[in-house]
Amino acid sequence: MANEENSKAAQVKKQLFMNRKNGCRKVSTDDIVKADEFCEEYKNFLNNAKIEREAVNYSIEAAKNAGFTEFDYTKSYAPGDKVYVNNRGKAIMLAVIGKNGTHNGVRLGIAHIDSPRLDLKPNPLYETNDLALFKTHYYGGIKKYQWPTVPLALHGVIALKDGTNVTVQIGEDESEPCFCVTDLLPHLAVDQMSQVMTKAFNGEHLNVLVGSRPFNEDEESESVKLNILNILFEKYGITEEDFLSADLHMVPAFMARDLGFDRSMIGAYGHDDKVCAYPALMAALDTELPESTVITVLTDREEIGSDGNTGMKSTYLVDFIADLAKADGEETRHVMAKTTCLSADVNAAFDPTYASAFEANNSSFINNGAVITKYTGSGGKYSTSDASAEYMARIRKILDDSGVLWQTGELGKVDGGGGGTIAKFVANYNADVVDLGVPVLSMHAPMEVVSKLDVYMTYRALYEFYKA
Ligand code: MN
Ligand code: MN
């Protein structure tokens, strides 16, 4: 009798409770194999797309290989055609024209390709006490203490007055020099160690060491700086003034690596948000003749609030949709009202070492699949679009019907902090949006951690959403 009751309880429980066991137990061995395979090229993407410009270059090349051509608003396009729009080399949109074009709205996947880092100031190079250093202004939300003593590489472009660009990437290959921010030895850090973190390391401490030898034996002042400028002149043909027209970024110099004895995870710089941008790009490339036109946006400037012409507060996406709508004889506003969007961005994975920052019932977990975040924001749901119940139901159905492993997550406990994504900017144009992405450990640190299974399931989620 007792046994029967237990089994009845077990049955009802199975019917009524959410299944919250480890995602690895819910998927097939085939899924795990596919996830591992998918992540091999993802690691390559990470290593070759540390800054937004490199991510755009990678995407254009991959798109061209998949049959995409550069969009021309004077041309007309047919269902199945594939086009891309390059926004200033720092953001990109890829569209696959659907059978219904824009008549039923478009299916949008949006992710960002900028990541937290140290940008060089416009006048970066200086010499002090016979050392040459770069002044930096950090980009995005970083914990400043994490950046000293990490090997750094310099990426970006220097635009010259003659209209040409010098592309810079130095410090990634072991044959090249790298750079670093120094820290104080513990022996002399009595004062430093007694300060609060935000005081012990402030933005003006993030100076990058770039040289120590003088130009020659002349007794000229600032000869260490002169020597560095001379090396830069010989290598890139630039002078000190050319730094004024440059986008130069210091990023961690290490490569993406498998993490854990079981190789189930990846440790790398820039998962936020390349870990969603790459699955979105792959979903775009794999999409053939969808019902509604599919647009994938890989945008810039999310980490600093999305302002600017290459960020999601810019009109560039809606302007593109307007071009497509016009070709279909539609009004943009009618297309936007029927548009559905997955805002593909990361969420914080539950970290048992810092469990008190989370509320476990509503956190996302490593290996439990793509995480749907109904709302982000902070302090009483401020600054978030908060997906509607109806839209959540629609997304649940798409994912469940196609066997995608997914979970929900809130960003940390209530009033523990918070953050936003680009979801709200698209929602403000009257589209339906929800966040879906990969749970990340150590988000915004020089090395972030994700699970391979979650990366693959995010790709599958986007692909199935595009098809639906
Ligand atoms: Mn992000
Ligand atoms: Mn971020």
Side-chain angles (χ1 to χ4, degrees), residues 1-143:
M1 191 66 187
N3 270 347
E4 265 175 40
E5 271 184 12
N6 281 347
S7 74
K8 172 96 189 201
Q11 269 177 29
V12 177
K13 193 174 179 185
K14 194 174 174 203
Q15 185 196 350
L16 299 183
F17 270 40
M18 222 167 15
N19 179 354
R20 304 201 66 164
K21 64 184 177 187
N22 184 318
C24 291
R25 295 184 193 281
K26 293 184 191 167
V27 298
S28 65
T29 314
D30 187 46
D31 279 329
I32 303 269
V33 171
K34 282 184 180 155
D36 289 353
E37 281 172 10
F38 184 82
C39 284
E40 283 307 303
E41 182 54 26
Y42 171 52
K43 285 183 282 180
N44 188 41
F45 174 76
L46 283 168
N47 295 339
N48 288 286
K50 290 193 177 181
I51 60 170
E52 57 276 2
R53 287 176 189 268
E54 294 165 355
V56 167
N57 291 343
Y58 180 104
S59 302
I60 289 175
E61 200 178 316
K64 280 181 175 169
N65 288 337
F68 284 72
T69 58
E70 188 152 21
F71 178 69
D72 177 346
Y73 66 88
T74 65
K75 286 187 182 158
S76 58
Y77 294 94
D81 284 352
K82 301 172 174 192
V83 294
Y84 70 88
V85 178
N86 173 357
N87 183 0
R88 298 170 170 83
K90 296 167 76 175
I92 185 170
M93 297 180 285
L94 303 103
V96 183
I97 308 300
K99 289 180 216 164
N100 296 322
T102 59
H103 296 299
N104 293 327
V106 299
R107 302 296 155 258
L108 271 179
I110 57 174
H112 69 92
I113 47 178
D114 59 323
S115 300
R117 64 197 178 210
L118 306 180
D119 282 356
L120 297 202
K121 290 190 181 186
N123 183 20
L125 183 61
Y126 69 104
E127 174 178 339
T128 182
N129 303 97
D130 293 332
L131 295 175
L133 299 110
F134 277 155
K135 291 300 295 183
T136 67
H137 194 139
Y138 64 99
Y139 176 97
I142 62 167
K143 291 165 92 175

Side-chain angles (χ1 to χ4, degrees), residues 394-404 406 460 464:
R394 189 164 160 178
I395 298 300
R396 277 175 65 201
K397 179 164 171 51
I398 292 171
L399 301 184
D400 286 344
D401 287 355
S402 52
V404 174
W406 65 278
R460 287 213 49 219
E464 297 296 339

Side-chain angles (χ1 to χ4, degrees), residues 50 132-134 147-155 168-182 207-212 228 235-236 249-255:
K50 290 193 177 181
L133 299 110
F134 277 155
W147 291 74
T149 74
V150 170
L152 298 171
L154 183 65
H155 290 232
V168 176
Q169 197 203 93
I170 181 164
E172 295 292 350
D173 193 283
E174 280 183 17
S175 68
E176 295 167 348
C178 66
F179 313 94
C180 81
V181 175
T182 57
N207 305 317
V208 180
L209 185 59
V210 299
S212 66
I228 298 301
K235 189 171 170 63
Y236 300 114
H249 324 288
M250 284 286 179
V251 295
F254 41 76
M255 296 288 123

Side-chain angles (χ1 to χ4, degrees), residues 112 272-273 302-303 345-346:
H112 69 92
D272 179 7
D273 188 30
E302 191 278 341
E303 295 295 357
D345 206 347
V346 297

Side-chain angles (χ1 to χ4, degrees), residues 437-448:
V438 176
V440 178
L441 292 166
S442 305
M443 194 196 296
H444 284 205
M447 188 173 89
E448 305 174 309

Side-chain angles (χ1 to χ4, degrees), residues 124-413:
L125 183 61
Y126 69 104
E127 174 178 339
T128 182
N129 303 97
D130 293 332
L131 295 175
L133 299 110
F134 277 155
K135 291 300 295 183
T136 67
H137 194 139
Y138 64 99
Y139 176 97
I142 62 167
K143 291 165 92 175
K144 298 177 189 81
Y145 76 86
Q146 293 175 333
W147 291 74
T149 74
V150 170
L152 298 171
L154 183 65
H155 290 232
V157 298
I158 302 161
L160 303 178
K161 285 198 285 187
D162 67 5
T164 60
N165 264 15
V166 178
T167 301
V168 176
Q169 197 203 93
I170 181 164
E172 295 292 350
D173 193 283
E174 280 183 17
S175 68
E176 295 167 348
C178 66
F179 313 94
C180 81
V181 175
T182 57
D183 194 5
L184 193 57
L185 62 166
H187 317 63
L188 300 181
V190 175
D191 281 351
Q192 184 196 43
M193 299 290 269
S194 65
Q195 291 174 43
V196 295
M197 280 182 184
T198 49
K199 289 273 178 351
F201 297 89
N202 66 51
E204 297 294 350
H205 283 127
L206 297 173
N207 305 317
V208 180
L209 185 59
V210 299
S212 66
R213 282 188 188 160
F215 179 66
N216 57 22
E217 287 163 17
D218 295 352
E219 284 299 316
E220 192 63 44
S221 66
E222 296 190 289
S223 63
V224 178
K225 172 177 168 177
L226 177 61
N227 192 39
I228 298 301
L229 281 173
N230 190 49
I231 291 167
L232 293 173
F233 182 73
E234 284 177 355
K235 189 171 170 63
Y236 300 114
I238 61 160
T239 66
E240 186 176 22
E241 209 174 275
D242 293 322
F243 279 120
L244 297 175
S245 53
D247 291 334
L248 291 169
H249 324 288
M250 284 286 179
V251 295
F254 41 76
M255 296 288 123
R257 302 274 301 270
D258 284 349
L259 196 136
F261 287 114
D262 56 9
R263 293 179 175 264
S264 58
M265 297 167 281
I266 301 169
Y269 164 70
H271 281 309
D272 179 7
D273 188 30
K274 277 54 159 232
V275 77
C276 300
Y278 180 76
L281 174 64
M282 290 303 115
L285 301 188
D286 290 346
T287 294
E288 304 282 349
L289 198 60
E291 290 296 319
S292 292
T293 294
V294 165
I295 302 176
T296 302
V297 185
L298 306 184
T299 195
D300 181 26
R301 306 186 70 76
E302 191 278 341
E303 295 295 357
I304 52 167
S306 296
D307 289 301
N309 51 17
T310 54
M312 253 313 77
K313 282 186 189 166
S314 153
T315 59
Y316 77 91
L317 168 60
V318 175
D319 291 346
F320 178 45
I321 293 175
D323 283 335
L324 299 177
K326 191 178 173 193
D328 290 339
E330 287 281 352
E331 296 287 345
T332 310
R333 64 182 185 277
H334 299 145
V335 173
M336 289 312 298
K338 288 178 275 186
T339 286
T340 53
C341 175
L342 286 182
S343 163
D345 206 347
V346 297
N347 198 335
F350 184 87
D351 188 336
T353 304
Y354 301 99
S356 66
F358 298 85
E359 189 269 284
N361 280 332
N362 287 283
S363 293
S364 60
F365 290 80
I366 288 284
N367 278 334
N368 275 1
V371 52
I372 293 187
T373 307
K374 189 173 182 293
Y375 51 85
T376 58
S378 60
K381 291 193 174 182
Y382 266 73
S383 298
T384 179
S385 44
D386 198 349
S388 70
E390 292 85 350
Y391 190 56
M392 286 292 287
R394 189 164 160 178
I395 298 300
R396 277 175 65 201
K397 179 164 171 51
I398 292 171
L399 301 184
D400 286 344
D401 287 355
S402 52
V404 174
L405 180 71
W406 65 278
Q407 58 184 322
T408 58
E410 202 179 11
L411 183 62
K413 67 178 180 186

